[in-house]
Structure formats: structure tokens, C-alpha cells
Amino acid sequence: MIELYTWTTPNGEKPVIMLEECKLSYEMHLVDIGNGEQHSDRFKAINPNEKIPALVDRSMGGYSQPVFESGAILIYLAELTGKFLPQSTRHRSQCFSWVFFQVGHTGPMIGQYHHFNSAAPEKIDYAIERYRKESRRVLGVLDGHLANNAYLAGDYTIADMMHYSWARIGLKELAEDGEFPSLRRWAETIGARPAVRLGLEKLQTAKDARG
């Protein structure tokens, strides 16, 4: 059994989407980060960084494999199943380039913009403007690449799953009407996939059930 510890955030959505795309059986454990559940001793034993998501693979006989950081989880599942990760060196390196672009740019920049613009107790104009500009630049990089490509790395891969939730939020919060048309087309395509829809519905249903 694969156990997934997650929450309804862009980073938390990624492994849910991947597990559904791979048609793997898994048990979902919600970690309410608003209530500080990620700081519990039980969760810290799985992820010493005390962040969601985290995964424990108990399907490996008597050995339980913990994996944390969303990028590492998707790579682990891709290698476990042989799915959504190119085999050729050229396309594999392209996929990893976009995976780490998300880890280093798309997620952190849009996440910081959202925090300073919507959640911070004090409005700091410099921080808001800094992360707004950089987030829009990142969206532009994605849009430019997708203008000539259906997906980020050839076929549909973990690179697309890594970016989807962050790009969706970025388009909602930072883009004007009609901006980034190629990125919008790509996001609509990913969002229409049955596994993506099912995974996000399961995650939201689980959260709603907790009240």
C-alpha cells in the first residue's frame, strides 16, 4: 500500500494527480497545515522538513520507503511504474529541466506572491511587486515554450503535472484577460484529463469530509 500525506495546496495536488494517472492504489492521509498537523512528531518522522506532501511506500515487502518533496515523489512514482518519464536521454533531460524549473521558479515565485498579496498580516509593496513581476515572467516563459509545443517535454509527463496547479493559480491571480493564450490552452487540456479531475475531486471530498 502506498500512503500519501497531503493537503489541498498546489504542491499537495501533484502526487494525487500522478497516483491517479498511474492507476495506483493508495491511501490518502490529510495533513491540515492550517492547524499545524505537519509539525506533529508522527509526520516529522516521515518528513523531517515538516512540509506536505510526503509518501510512504509499504509495498516493498518489509521495507517502508518514505519520500518527501513533491518533485522527488513524482520522479519516484514515474520510475516505479515506468510511466510519464521519457526514457531517451534527450527527452528525459528536457523533462527534468522543466521539473526543476517548477521547483525553483514557478512554485516559489507564485507562492510568495500569493502570500505577500493575500495572506501576509502586513502589506509590503516592494515584496508584492517583486514577486508579481517575477511570477508573470515565469508564466511568460511557460507560455512561450507552449506556443510551439503541446506539452512541456514532448509527450505528457511529470513536468506537466508539476506545473499544472501552480500555473492554474498564476493565471487566475496574475494574468489579464487573453494573456498567455498558449499556457491557458495547455492548462485547459491538462485540467480536462479524467485522472486529473478525479484526483482533485477526491482530495477536495476528503477535505470536506473532515469539516
Side-chain angles (χ1 to χ4, degrees):
M1 173 61 71
I2 291 175
E3 298 178 359
L4 175 66
Y5 296 81
T6 193
W7 190 244
T8 53
T9 67
N11 287 336
E13 291 177 357
K14 300 174 200 173
V16 178
I17 290 171
M18 180 62 171
L19 286 162
E20 293 294 336
E21 289 282 12
C22 292
K23 296 181 171 57
L24 290 170
S25 297
Y26 66 100
E27 188 175 277
M28 187 187 299
H29 301 274
L30 293 189
V31 180
D32 189 340
I33 60 176
N35 290 334
E37 293 178 8
Q38 71 274 27
H39 303 304
S40 68
D41 290 341
R42 180 169 178 265
F43 185 72
K44 189 175 180 179
I46 298 170
N47 182 1
N49 193 37
E50 302 175 45
K51 301 283 186 180
I52 60 95
L55 178 146
V56 178
D57 186 354
R58 302 191 188 280
S59 66
M60 305 175 68
Y63 179 68
S64 297
Q65 174 67 49
V67 188
F68 57 92
E69 293 297 320
S70 60
I73 291 172
L74 265 63
I75 292 170
Y76 175 81
L77 293 174
E79 292 182 335
L80 180 71
T81 61
K83 297 179 178 180
F84 305 111
L85 184 61
Q87 296 304 306
S88 72
T89 300
R90 175 192 171 193
H91 291 106
R92 194 180 184 91
S93 62
Q94 184 184 33
C95 179
F96 282 146
S97 292
W98 287 109
V99 165
F100 288 106
F101 179 79
Q102 190 282 310
V103 171
H105 296 276
T106 312
M109 296 303 105
I110 295 174
Q112 290 293 340
Y113 170 77
H114 178 81
H115 172 78
F116 283 107
N117 189 56
S118 303
E122 177 185 357
K123 291 290 185 181
I124 304 174
D125 291 340
Y126 172 79
I128 294 171
E129 185 62 14
R130 169 181 168 80
Y131 289 114
R132 186 191 72 82
K133 286 183 177 180
E134 185 60 13
S135 294
R136 284 178 52 79
R137 187 192 71 81
V138 168
L139 294 176
V141 171
L142 293 169
D143 185 70
H145 180 71
L146 290 167
N148 299 304
N149 297 276
Y151 300 104
L152 290 172
D155 293 329
Y156 178 63
T157 68
I158 59 172
D160 300 291
M161 298 181 217
M162 289 286 291
H163 277 89
Y164 171 66
S165 294
W166 282 113
R168 190 179 77 239
I169 288 178
L171 287 169
K172 180 180 179 181
E173 296 189 358
L174 289 148
E176 298 177 4
D177 290 344
E179 262 191 317
F180 310 120
S182 299
L183 183 59
R184 290 181 188 276
R185 181 267 308 159
W186 168 89
E188 290 173 1
T189 299
I190 304 300
R193 292 180 64 88
V196 174
R197 296 173 62 182
L198 179 60
L200 297 184
E201 287 172 3
K202 282 185 177 181
L203 186 56
Q204 188 61 50
T205 299
K207 182 182 179 182
D208 292 342
R210 289 191 53 160

